[in-house]
């Protein structure tokens, strides 16, 4: 188990001075109890509602730590106890964390788990314990689904990339690479598959054999390691498009192309927006569909408030019928350059009027 240190994260982001009452960033410890009783009820009957929060723990994904910061602040506003753990991008750790949350008697869990093959086992543990769960972006039967409209996000990204290929190359595309994350199941089909399908609708004459898939696992390192095999198998491909499960998967392929000297005519369009803002954007990442992931807990607390009040809403556990649906925001690299980086976005959200979302503030396309 990894216990994340919130004070260090806030200091790094320059947010320590924000008032504790701010919407997003109250408090300065990661695991512990909030003071103040609040009016919420709790299943354990100890007088204080306790929220368990598991961040994903994937490398190169600052938004995952920030989700924990946001949730911590919102929990303290309500006088709730808060327990945060990291899934460490590990099936075993995510499963172990479920046992820890159950032992601590939490009344509800929110989490992102980038290794969802463990989710059925974890789901049974929580069901047996009577603990409701909110899952971010990766659906699991019986859990409240909070996330982007994945089907629309995939189609939006593929359509935008196809239009670029039409404009720049007259749809003469030698290779469409699909950097998949098969463990994500239907989410991968919606994001990666829909993107590839959308390219085909814009450029219908691309031969079927020019579409190639490989396993990127939603991770930059894995994607970078596995992508060279695709390029080696298609030595004559020049005009190349890349889509994938997330920004990390796509950028892994783009970096592999650069290392192999195959980046003379390649364009990638990501999903999630995690690597499209800031000073070090890959020059061949021409766009992404931003989800503003750091703000997901603010949506999830719509559900948490009802559960804490003793009026849990009906479970909606799929991307087709989400408990709370986040609107995707497709942006080109040029448009993304005008969007504040993730640290600045969190600051702006902290002072925004109640009910304001990151989409409201930053999606101008």
């Amino acid at each position: 188990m990894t216990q994340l240190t919130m004070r260090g994260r806030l200091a790094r982001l320059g947010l320590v001075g924000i008032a504790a009452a701010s919407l997003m960033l109250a408090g300065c410890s990661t695991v512990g109890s909030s003071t103040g009783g609040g009016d919420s009820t709790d299943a354990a009957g100890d007088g204080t509602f306790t929220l368990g929060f598991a961040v994903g723990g994937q490398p190169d994904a600052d938004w995952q730590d920030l989700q924990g910061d946001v949730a911590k602040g919102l929990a303290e506003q309500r006088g709730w106890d808060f327990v945060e753990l990291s899934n460490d991008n590990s099936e075993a750790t995510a499963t172990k964390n479920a046992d820890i949350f159950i032992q601590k008697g939490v009344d509800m869990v929110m989490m992102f788990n980038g290794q969802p093959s463990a989710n059925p086992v974890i789901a049974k543990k929580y069901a047996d314990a009577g603990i409701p769960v909110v899952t971010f972006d990766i659906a699991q039967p019986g859990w409240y689904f909070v996330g982007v409209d994945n089907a629309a996000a995939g189609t939006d990204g593929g359509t935008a990339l196809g239009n670029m290929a039409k404009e720049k190359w007259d749809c003469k595309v030698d290779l469409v690479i699909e950097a998949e994350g098969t463990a994500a199941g239907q989410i991968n089909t919606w994001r990666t598959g829909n993107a590839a399908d959308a390219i085909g609708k814009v450029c219908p004459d691309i031969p079927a054999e020019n579409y190639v898939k490989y396993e990127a696992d939603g991770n930059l390192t894995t994607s970078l390691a596995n992508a060279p095999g695709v390029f080696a198998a298609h030595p004559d491909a020049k005009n190349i498009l890349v889509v994938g499960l997330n920004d990390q998967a796509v950028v892994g392929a783009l970096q592999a192309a650069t290392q192999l000297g195959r980046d003379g005519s390649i364009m990638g369009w990501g999903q999630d927006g995690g690597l499209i803002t800031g000073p070090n954007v890959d020059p061949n990442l021409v766009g992404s569909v931003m989800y503003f992931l750091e703000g997901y807990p603010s949506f999830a607390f719509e559900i948490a408030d009802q559960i804490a009040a003793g009026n849990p809403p009906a479970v909606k556990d799929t991307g087709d019928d989400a408990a709370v649906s986040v609107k995707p925001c497709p942006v080109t690299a040029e448009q993304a350059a005008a969007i504040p980086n993730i640290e600045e976005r969190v600051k702006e959200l902290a002072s925004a009027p109640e009910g304001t979302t990151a989409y409201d503030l930053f999606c101008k396309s």
Side-chain angles (χ1 to χ4, degrees):
M1 157 181 90
T2 297
Q3 294 185 353
L4 303 175
T5 305
M6 175 177 287
R7 182 173 291 278
R9 293 207 302 260
L10 295 183
R12 186 180 74 241
L13 300 179
L15 300 175
V16 173
I18 293 179
S22 294
L23 174 64
M24 295 294 179
L25 295 168
C28 59
S29 64
T30 300
V31 179
S33 298
S34 305
T35 57
D39 296 324
S40 57
T41 59
D42 71 305
D46 62 2
T48 304
F49 190 83
T50 301
L51 174 65
F53 195 97
V55 300
Q58 292 178 320
D60 303 309
D62 285 349
W63 59 266
Q64 294 183 9
D65 287 359
L66 287 171
Q67 285 185 342
D69 294 351
V70 169
K72 173 70 174 180
L74 293 173
E76 287 204 339
Q77 281 186 340
R78 291 158 171 78
W80 297 353
D81 286 351
F82 183 80
V83 181
E84 181 181 324
L85 304 173
S86 173
N87 285 332
D88 286 337
N89 199 34
S90 161
E91 296 177 27
T93 303
T95 304
K96 177 182 174 182
N97 286 346
D99 292 330
I100 293 171
F101 283 136
I102 292 168
Q103 291 167 6
K104 288 183 175 291
V106 304
D107 298 292
M108 179 181 179
V109 170
M110 297 177 188
M111 72 168 167
F112 174 78
N113 181 19
Q115 299 297 325
S117 56
N119 283 350
V121 171
I122 296 172
K124 185 177 187 306
K125 290 176 180 287
Y126 285 132
D128 291 345
I131 297 173
V133 180
V134 168
T135 177
F136 296 146
D137 268 341
I138 298 177
Q140 170 62 36
W143 292 355
Y144 293 98
F145 179 88
V146 172
V148 74
D149 183 339
N150 288 285
T155 298
D156 287 349
T159 300
L161 188 58
N163 284 331
M164 284 190 172
K166 185 175 183 179
E167 178 184 347
K168 292 178 180 292
W169 304 335
D170 193 28
C171 283
K172 293 179 173 62
V173 178
D174 301 314
L175 192 63
V176 178
I177 298 176
E178 301 176 52
E180 295 198 303
T182 54
Q186 182 62 47
I187 304 302
N188 176 65
T189 300
W190 278 326
R191 294 187 188 178
T192 311
N194 279 22
D197 290 346
I199 290 171
K201 290 181 180 178
V202 177
C203 298
D205 294 330
I206 301 173
E209 60 268 23
N210 288 15
Y211 289 81
V212 178
K213 302 176 181 180
Y214 78 98
E215 183 57 54
D217 196 33
N219 180 271
L220 192 150
T221 302
T222 303
S223 182
L224 179 60
N226 292 346
V230 176
F231 292 107
H234 299 83
D236 298 324
K238 294 182 179 179
N239 291 343
I240 302 171
L241 301 178
V242 185
V243 295
L245 178 69
N246 56 11
D247 277 15
Q248 290 201 40
V250 172
V251 170
L254 299 177
Q255 289 186 359
T258 298
Q259 291 179 5
L260 296 168
R262 298 287 298 276
D263 59 339
S265 186
I266 188 170
M267 298 189 294
W269 194 288
Q271 289 284 338
D272 77 18
L275 299 178
I276 196 67
T277 62
N280 299 310
V281 178
D282 189 289
N284 295 312
L285 184 65
V286 297
S288 183
V289 181
M290 298 193 72
Y291 309 163
F292 304 110
L293 297 161
E294 69 280 358
Y296 273 23
S298 61
F299 293 99
F301 268 74
E302 296 177 22
I303 301 165
D305 285 336
Q306 294 177 70
I307 291 174
N311 299 305
V315 174
K316 295 185 177 182
D317 57 8
T318 69
D320 287 328
D321 188 22
V324 183
S325 185
V326 178
K327 192 172 181 179
C329 178
V331 293
T332 65
E334 181 180 3
Q335 290 168 331
I339 295 174
N341 63 28
I342 193 168
E343 293 89 352
E344 292 300 320
R345 295 200 302 269
V346 171
K347 289 181 183 180
E348 290 194 34
L349 280 168
S351 59
E354 184 175 349
T356 302
T357 67
Y359 183 95
D360 298 330
L361 291 174
F362 309 120
C363 189
K364 309 298 184 183
S365 61

